[in-house]
Amino acid sequence: MRKATDIAVAAVAGLCALIAVGILVGLVSVIARRGGPALSWGFLTEQIRLVGASGGIFWNLVGTLILLATAFTACAPPAIAIALVERVWLQNERGRRALRTFLYTANGVPSIVFGLFGFILFVQWCGWGKSWLAGGLVLAMTMLPTVTVSLIERLKTIPPAYIQAAAALGLSRSKIIWAVLLPQSWGGLLTGSLLALARAAGETAPVMFTATIFAGATLPRGIKESPVLSLPYHIFILAQDSFDPEVGSKLWGAALVLLALVFVLSLIALPMRLKIHEEANL
Amino acid sequence: MTRTLSWFFSMLALAAMLLLLGIFAWQSIPVWQHDGTRYLTGVKWFFRSREFGALPMIYGSLVVSFIALIVAAPLGFGAAICTAEYLPRPARLAVKVLIELLAGVPSVVYGLLGILLLRDWIYDVFARFEPLNGDTLLTAGILLAVMVLPTLVTLGDDALRGVPAAQRRAARALGLTRAETLISVTLPQAARGFGSALLLGFGRTLGETIAVFLVVGRQDNNLPEHWLSVNKWLESGQTITSKLGSSETNIAYGDPLHWAAIAGLGLILLAMTGAAAFLGTSFGKRSDA
């Protein structure tokens, strides 16, 4: 009886894990099977024609990359600053805990709320209209908690001896930051950013009101009224009206490209992230 | 200099978050003046006749999140038990990598799969209840279950691994089987972590927009007679997020009252997800998964 229970529990747990992994495999294979035929060199280098039924997704890819680059540039300085405040400048435990609570709560804010915030602030009040900069800044806000937490975890793993040695040499705190902490922790910034960028690349809700249109945009010139195309918004619009079989195959192709982009970004970040995660839990 | 810069950018980020909260609170003032708490309890939303009742959308958001957690919790925690308690380290890492990848799949891709596969499947399986179409609260709930699964697995795994290994060894040394150790030693200690995982997952599902938008049907004013009745689950509904993501947001700007009603929905959503995230993190331990 006891033995049977033992085996049954293990079997059920294993089955759950199998189903979870099976979902991923099934999902990827469905998208690959349906999207694969649409992929070609032209699909990546041509622009949209006939409302998505023909042509490719070149400007959508470019737009997504512009948004990601903007978001990364806007996100890195505050992320580094907050991590340094948490690790170096704040010395009392209560302040630190408040800061961490702030980060975790910010992490829980739904992306559509950030999108509407950007819509009010940048699109309406600043009068930018739909703009790549508005979208990039909104995406930066969604990324900030992930990047900061990853950087903080990384800073925690720097051996105290390094800092003590630097302090013994008479370096001031800000010198220690530039000479020891930042060079030792850029990996944390990188993994955190890649992971956050992978999430941001697939986000539709923050950019749908702030940055992207469906067709007719190329490289932005200036800030005002300069929207971009993007992959997730492209899929979002086509998915609502996907009866034309030609559109269908292009649609799955776009989904496959987006999925590949996201997976590549997260796979580069994963080994380091898992390592830190595992060590933090030992 | 470094110190000033650090504080400057930190304060900038903090100010942006406070501004966000402030904007939603401030912009929603007209609707609170117009309707008071009837905005929260009103059951009708007809913006042309200036009726703004948010309850059907609050109901929709709660129902899809509830369905998602009911479906995903056993599966996710079962998988977490498998990775934390049974799998050897290499297999464990492999499963965790796959789960992390699953977490990265964009919600618009889930939405696409929901439209082209799940919708028809629901329609066929529940044919004898005669749903009008496949865009139902249940469809959105099941799609959300798949989306929230990685969060539950990762946080559940963390919770289990937070239990000291010495306790398991002690239990095994007393002659308990692995299952008995799990049930009487490990799980009770990981319960808080599981609770926190559920709360954080709840926050995720409440805030998910695009996938829900694509499969929930976006039918206003769908509210059952009784809170517990499930017959509306197989009808199209509206969640807070699907309303916020709709084109009504663009129409509303310019009409102060209508816009206030939209901003008010944002505020309600912020309050609900904020509470879930805050409780979830103070309840358990970590939340960067």
Side-chain angles (χ1 to χ4, degrees):
Chain A
M1 179 60 205
R2 291 179 66 204
K3 195 149 192 191
T5 320
D6 197 33
I7 292 167
V9 168
V12 169
L15 189 67
C16 289
L18 261 183
I19 293 174
V21 172
I23 288 174
L24 175 76
V25 174
L27 195 143
V28 172
S29 70
V30 165
I31 293 169
R33 217 175 42 236
R34 299 216 182 185
L39 286 193
S40 64
W41 186 240
F43 186 64
L44 297 177
T45 56
E46 286 171 23
Q47 58 176 341
I48 315 176
R49 285 196 299 271
L50 300 175
V51 203
S54 170
I57 52 168
F58 179 68
W59 291 112
N60 306 79
L61 260 178
V62 171
T64 290
L65 294 179
I66 289 174
L67 288 174
L68 291 185
T70 315
F72 173 72
T73 315
C75 176
I80 297 171
I82 297 173
L84 288 178
V85 163
E86 205 269 352
R87 287 282 86 199
V88 182
W89 303 116
L90 266 182
Q91 287 298 324
N92 60 334
E93 197 47 45
R94 274 182 64 187
R96 283 181 173 175
R97 197 175 306 148
L99 190 63
R100 279 199 296 270
T101 309
F102 163 73
L103 281 175
Y104 289 143
T105 314
N107 200 19
V109 174
S111 55
I112 182 76
V113 172
F114 282 118
L116 288 182
F117 173 68
F119 176 72
I120 301 173
L121 188 64
F122 302 124
V123 176
Q124 300 292 349
W125 291 359
C126 295
W128 290 355
K130 279 192 175 180
S131 162
W132 57 275
L133 185 58
L137 290 176
V138 171
L139 283 180
M141 290 184 77
T142 66
M143 287 167 58
L144 187 62
T146 310
V147 181
T148 311
V149 168
S150 157
L151 196 52
I152 289 176
E153 293 297 327
R154 183 63 182 210
L155 283 170
K156 278 185 190 164
T157 63
I158 295 176
Y162 290 13
I163 298 157
Q164 285 154 9
L169 288 172
L171 269 64
S172 67
R173 271 205 206 152
S174 44
K175 283 268 167 51
I176 295 178
I177 287 175
W178 289 104
V180 181
L181 296 186
L182 290 183
Q184 289 286 327
S185 62
W186 66 270
L189 180 69
L190 206 65
T191 43
S193 298
L194 282 170
L195 201 77
L197 283 171
R199 303 270 160 88
E203 284 278 19
T204 318
V207 295
M208 60 195 284
F209 293 120
T210 55
T212 61
I213 55 175
F214 178 69
T218 53
L219 279 181
R221 295 188 189 83
I223 293 171
K224 279 192 178 181
E225 300 296 343
S226 43
V228 288
L229 306 185
S230 80
L231 268 179
Y233 191 66
H234 182 75
I235 300 168
F236 177 65
I237 294 296
L238 287 184
Q240 294 177 59
D241 186 21
S242 55
F243 302 108
D244 183 349
E246 266 303 299
V247 174
S249 96
K250 297 279 182 188
L251 174 57
W252 289 103
L256 182 58
V257 172
L258 180 62
L259 201 62
L261 178 67
V262 168
F263 278 5
V264 166
L265 284 172
S266 18
L267 275 177
I268 304 173
L270 263 179
M272 242 160 155
R273 175 178 158 79
L274 276 179
K275 189 164 160 266
I276 294 171
H277 199 89
E278 294 291 301
E279 280 166 2
N281 272 325
L282 280 181
Chain B
M1 186 62 198
T2 312
R3 179 179 194 149
T4 321
L5 273 180
S6 307
W7 281 107
F8 172 74
F9 277 110
S10 302
M11 286 302 138
L12 195 68
L14 188 63
M17 291 303 296
L18 291 178
L19 182 68
L20 182 144
L21 197 61
I23 279 183
F24 277 94
W26 176 51
Q27 295 272 297
S28 66
I29 287 174
V31 82
W32 299 107
Q33 284 173 340
H34 184 260
D35 284 331
T37 52
R38 272 185 300 127
Y39 174 60
L40 290 177
T41 55
V43 298
K44 291 280 177 249
W45 179 289
F46 292 109
F47 72 87
R48 287 183 211 287
S49 53
R50 309 189 81 65
E51 281 185 83
F52 299 106
L55 196 60
M57 281 161 272
I58 298 174
Y59 170 78
S61 282
L62 290 176
V63 162
V64 293
S65 300
F66 176 74
I67 297 172
L69 288 182
I70 288 288
V71 175
L75 207 56
F77 290 153
I81 289 172
C82 178
T83 58
E85 304 290 320
Y86 288 99
L87 289 184
R89 196 179 145 84
R92 192 182 116 72
L93 284 184
V95 172
K96 291 207 74 165
V97 168
L98 290 176
I99 297 286
E100 291 270 346
L101 280 183
L102 192 61
V105 175
S107 59
V108 69
V109 172
Y110 279 114
L112 186 61
L113 290 164
I115 282 187
L116 287 134
L117 305 173
L118 189 60
R119 196 162 67 169
D120 297 337
W121 184 76
I122 294 277
Y123 187 71
D124 292 340
V125 169
F126 294 95
R128 63 195 194 87
F129 297 103
E130 295 173 352
L132 287 174
N133 54 41
D135 290 329
T136 66
L137 290 172
L138 183 67
T139 320
I142 291 177
L143 193 59
L144 276 178
V146 179
M147 297 181 69
V148 78
L149 192 63
T151 306
L152 296 182
V153 177
T154 307
L155 293 176
D157 181 80
D158 285 356
L160 286 168
R161 285 172 51 86
V163 179
Q167 305 218 1
R168 289 189 194 93
R169 285 200 291 270
R172 294 300 301 282
L174 288 171
L176 271 66
T177 63
R178 277 189 126 166
E180 286 163 345
T181 309
L182 180 73
I183 291 162
S184 54
V185 177
T186 321
L187 281 184
Q189 296 191 62
R192 280 182 79 88
F194 278 14
S196 140
L198 282 176
L199 277 167
L200 290 168
F202 185 60
R204 286 284 158 86
T205 53
L206 280 177
E208 171 50 47
T209 307
I210 296 301
V212 173
F213 180 96
L214 289 172
V215 298
V216 81
R218 304 199 302 286
Q219 172 71 46
D220 275 333
N221 303 321
N222 181 356
L223 199 67
E225 305 272 308
H226 301 287
W227 274 87
L228 294 176
S229 99
V230 297
N231 54 4
K232 295 280 181 185
W233 289 15
L234 276 173
E235 290 178 21
S236 295
Q238 184 84 278
T239 68
I240 294 177
T241 51
S242 69
K243 180 58 114 182
L244 289 176
S246 71
S247 54
E248 201 179 315
T249 300
N250 276 320
I251 302 168
Y253 199 85
D255 174 354
L257 182 61
H258 190 188
W259 177 254
I262 295 285
L265 286 179
L267 192 65
I268 296 170
L269 182 64
L270 262 179
M272 286 175 17
T273 54
F278 181 77
L279 285 176
T281 40
S282 49
F283 200 64
K285 198 162 56 84
R286 42 180 305 141
S287 78
D288 59 327

